[in-house]
């Protein structure tokens, strides 16, 4: 347990450190495809009561559906501060909270849809985070994740495993996570996986079982 807390603190510190540069770092990726993929992710949400996990600096704000009640969480205070500045400037209706996805402070069965983009690459215990998502999602509710995962190609996968410690140290993100398998372990039911590019970028649509 103590190891896990240390890991969580280390990742949080890394995101606090990169928060001032995050939007700049993402600029090229957004122009490449990320903004299109974000739009696709948000086209999949259902219902009115939405939770975004790992909101970061608010890169998904432009794609939020109107007329929904959206809560957004992140465990990095500095990333959230950037998101809060955007909320204030754009007078958006989104409620931001500093919460760790591994310990969600919400009642069971709360949300119609829960989303995350590029988050489960860095959550220290991803299965625990996904189990928390499953708990606070309503029965039959939807979970939509945009993630990069370990390539199934043996050579690329080997390279990703080899360079993962360096990438993790610099940007706080693992490039060798097996998020599809992790979603399955959380008891969510996968409905669709869309391969968005080179077998690494995936849109994962899952659902909580009905009670
Ligand atoms: C790569 S950034 C992605 C940010 C945003 N979702 C995006 O698409 O630009 C990962 C985000 O997940 C957050 N995060 C990582 N682990 C978390 C956890 N255990 N609980 C809450 N947020 C977490 C980080 O603080 C960071 O803001």
């Amino acid at each position: 347990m103590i190891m896990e807390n240390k890991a969580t603190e280390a990742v949080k510190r890394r995101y606090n450190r990169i928060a001032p540069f995050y939007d700049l770092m993402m600029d090229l990726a957004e122009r490449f495809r990320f903004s299109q993929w974000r739009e696709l992710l948000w086209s999949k949400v259902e219902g009115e009561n939405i939770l975004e996990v790992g909101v970061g600096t608010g890169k998904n704000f432009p794609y939020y559906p109107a007329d929904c009640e959206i809560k957004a969480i992140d465990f990095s205070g500095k990333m959230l501060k950037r998101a809060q500045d955007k909320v204030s400037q754009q007078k958006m209706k989104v409620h931001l909270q500093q919460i760790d996805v591994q310990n969600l402070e919400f009642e069971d069965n709360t949300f119609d849809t829960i989303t995350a983009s590029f988050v489960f690459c860095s959550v220290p215990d991803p299965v625990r985070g996904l189990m928390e998502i499953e708990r606070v999602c309503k029965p039959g509710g939807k979970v939509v994740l945009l993630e990069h995962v370990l390539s199934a190609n043996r050579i690329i996968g080997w390279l990703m495993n080899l360079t993962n410690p360096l990438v993790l140290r610099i940007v706080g993100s693992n490039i060798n996570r097996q998020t599809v398998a992790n979603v399955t372990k959380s008891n969510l039911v996968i409905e669709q996986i869309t391969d968005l590019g080179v077998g690494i970028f995936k849109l994962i649509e899952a659902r909580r079982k009905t009670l």
Side-chain angles (χ1 to χ4, degrees), residues 8 11-12 15-16 18 22-23 26 30 34 38 52-60 73-77 79-80 99-104 116-125 129 146 148 171-173:
T8 297
V11 178
K12 200 189 290 184
Y15 277 104
N16 280 335
I18 64 169
Y22 185 78
D23 284 352
M26 294 295 281
E30 299 295 334
F34 280 29
R38 294 182 191 281
E52 181 181 2
V53 165
V55 60
T57 60
K59 298 299 279 181
N60 287 311
I73 63 138
D74 202 290
F75 71 173
S76 156
M79 294 291 271
L80 268 183
I99 296 179
D100 184 340
V101 69
Q102 299 164 118
N103 291 295
L104 286 175
S117 57
F118 310 117
V119 172
F120 283 93
C121 50
S122 53
V123 177
D125 186 341
L146 175 57
H148 55 80
V171 295
S173 165

Side-chain angles (χ1 to χ4, degrees), residues 86-132:
K86 290 179 191 165
V87 167
S88 307
Q89 278 160 20
Q90 296 162 25
K91 298 190 172 58
M92 295 181 59
K93 274 199 312 182
V94 48
H95 183 61
L96 298 174
Q97 285 174 273
Q98 188 169 9
I99 296 179
D100 184 340
V101 69
Q102 299 164 118
N103 291 295
L104 286 175
E105 296 158 26
F106 299 110
E107 299 284 325
D108 297 359
N109 315 331
T110 302
F111 298 100
D112 296 311
T113 298
I114 303 178
T115 71
S117 57
F118 310 117
V119 172
F120 283 93
C121 50
S122 53
V123 177
D125 186 341
V127 175
R128 179 164 151 187
L130 288 159
M131 286 169 78
E132 277 291 89

